[in-house]
Amino acid sequence: MGELVSLRDIRKSYGRKEVLKGISLSIEPGQVIAVLGSNGTGKSTFLRIIAGIESLNAGQVLFTNNSIRIGYVPERFPKNIRFTPVEYLHYIGEISGIPAITLKERIPSFLQRFGLDQFSNRRIGELSKGNIQKVGIVQAILQPPDLLILDEPVSGLDAEAQQELLKILKELKASGTTILLTYHESNIFECMVDRTYEIKEGLLYEGALTKKAKEDLKLIEVKHVESSTIQGWNDILRIEEQADSLLLFVGLENSDQVLARVLEAKGNVVRVVTVEMEEIRKG
Amino acid sequence: MKDLIKYTLHDYLRSQKYFPPTSTYFILILIFYTYKPNPIIDSYAVTALILFVTSAWLCMSVLSLDAPVQRQIMILHIKSSHKYYIAKLIAIWLIAVGLAVFAFVYPLVFGMFAEPVSLKVGFVSLANHILLATLGISIASFFNKSMMESTVNAYGGLVLTLILSFASLGIYKVLPSFIKYVAWLLPPAVSTQIPLIQWDGEMIGELSLIPFIWIFIYSVVLFILFLQVARLKK
């Protein structure tokens, strides 16, 4: 699978404080990636850099295609907007180049899905925090993006809106949208997240496997392949070196590809088994 | 870009932030024409300077309409920070052109001049208004919120620059000859005043056009620099 975005050695400082200390990551199309971390670790900065709305001190953000559509939901959508949700979304749609006829259909539909239709004639600045956040979400998905970036999207959302958002994200994922999100307390997204990362002290660490990944895990044992050959393959979640073999933990979706690449690397595949994470831990 | 210009104008209208600069401008024009008759070219030269300051003020208020996050969202939707800022600057310029037309038409409609305004004088005076408005916008663009975090620094810096631009001719005169040309770097807001006042209004060929061209070039260079710096600042 090709890359959608490739981050190379991203560095960002605010004054003397280096927030991101050289982060590299490849994001494949259709993936759902969660970036976790405590407050102030640079998650939002990281997302804004990928969105292209924050400058970086060093490194590169490379998109495979220049015409990639990016949707961005900020952690706090601005509340001083002087338009009603309908007016604002119409402007956003027109500025993005969405045909008027499509807007006429999509705006009421999204407003209705998020229960905003009853507030469609009130100015955004007069709405509650949660409803403002809903407008922030709708502006990002008005035109299905290739890459959707959500910074703490559920902050202020009621349970119903959270479920609706989850439903929409699943629909977007099914239609091929790559999703990159951060969240704190909520784990409603865990069921759809493919990979989690954690930003700690300016560096990005591959995090614990998500519920979905745990269910879809496959183990491939190979002999006669150097671990250095395998390292850097993004589709391998973990590598364990045994006395005379390597154990590769791969998501089910990627296992065929990994197998093919192992064979190309002239390694002997000893066994391929589907395992639960708990079994792996037991050893 | 047309839609972002429309959005900006609509938002500015809703914000009512247009009221302080435009009302001050209208009051100053009305006060200026309290007595009549007035000399045509000299009066238009003065109202153009009033518009220069007003346009700078307008630019500050329009560029502060979008909160930083809103600005980032807009840039993402329009896919270019250049397009975003160009749309904003065009919106400001359109408002300033409206104000220039007011300054031009008001004394004509209410018969504030001793004699009728010829086509040549009218054209040159209106062009001077629009050029000085453009210069005011280009200077103020560097002092907006997206470029300077501190409002005090932004407004302080702008006021200081405007004062220096008014004093540029005086500064040029008092500077020692070997550094005299440094004064050319100051915004040329008053550079068209002397040629206009000395002009008899008969032949455009008798009017020195260099100050007008210099204002145009100066503004364009500032706009280009602003767009580059704004893109880097994000």
Side-chain angles (χ1 to χ4, degrees), chain B residues 62-133:
Chain B
V62 171
L63 289 182
S64 69
L65 281 176
D66 288 340
V69 174
Q70 176 58 14
R71 188 171 61 237
Q72 292 168 343
I73 287 172
M74 285 297 189
I75 290 174
L76 257 182
H77 282 290
I78 202 165
K79 295 190 180 84
S80 152
S81 74
H82 279 179
K83 278 187 190 169
Y84 171 84
Y85 283 110
I86 290 171
K88 293 279 167 184
L89 293 172
I90 291 174
I92 302 162
W93 190 78
L94 290 174
I95 302 167
V97 168
L99 296 182
V101 170
F102 172 80
F104 180 70
V105 170
Y106 172 76
L108 294 179
V109 171
F110 292 95
M112 298 297 180
F113 297 132
E115 48 191 302
V117 178
S118 70
L119 202 64
K120 279 175 224 154
V121 170
F123 172 75
V124 169
S125 301
L126 187 61
N128 188 41
H129 276 84
I130 292 171
L131 273 177
L132 284 183

Side-chain angles (χ1 to χ4, degrees), chain B residues 20-50:
Chain B
T22 53
S23 59
T24 307
Y25 176 76
F26 290 133
I27 290 168
L28 286 175
I29 299 283
L30 295 185
I31 291 173
F32 182 73
Y33 287 114
T34 311
Y35 297 104
K36 58 183 187 179
N38 295 280
I40 301 168
I41 298 174
D42 299 30
S43 303
Y44 275 147
V46 173
T47 55
L49 281 180
I50 298 174

Side-chain angles (χ1 to χ4, degrees), chain A residues 148-168:
Chain A
L148 178 61
I149 297 173
L150 306 104
D151 192 357
E152 308 272 358
V154 291
S155 107
L157 289 191
D158 52 46
E160 214 176 310
Q162 289 188 18
Q163 286 308 318
E164 193 55 48
L165 175 62
L166 183 63
K167 220 162 119 186
I168 289 173

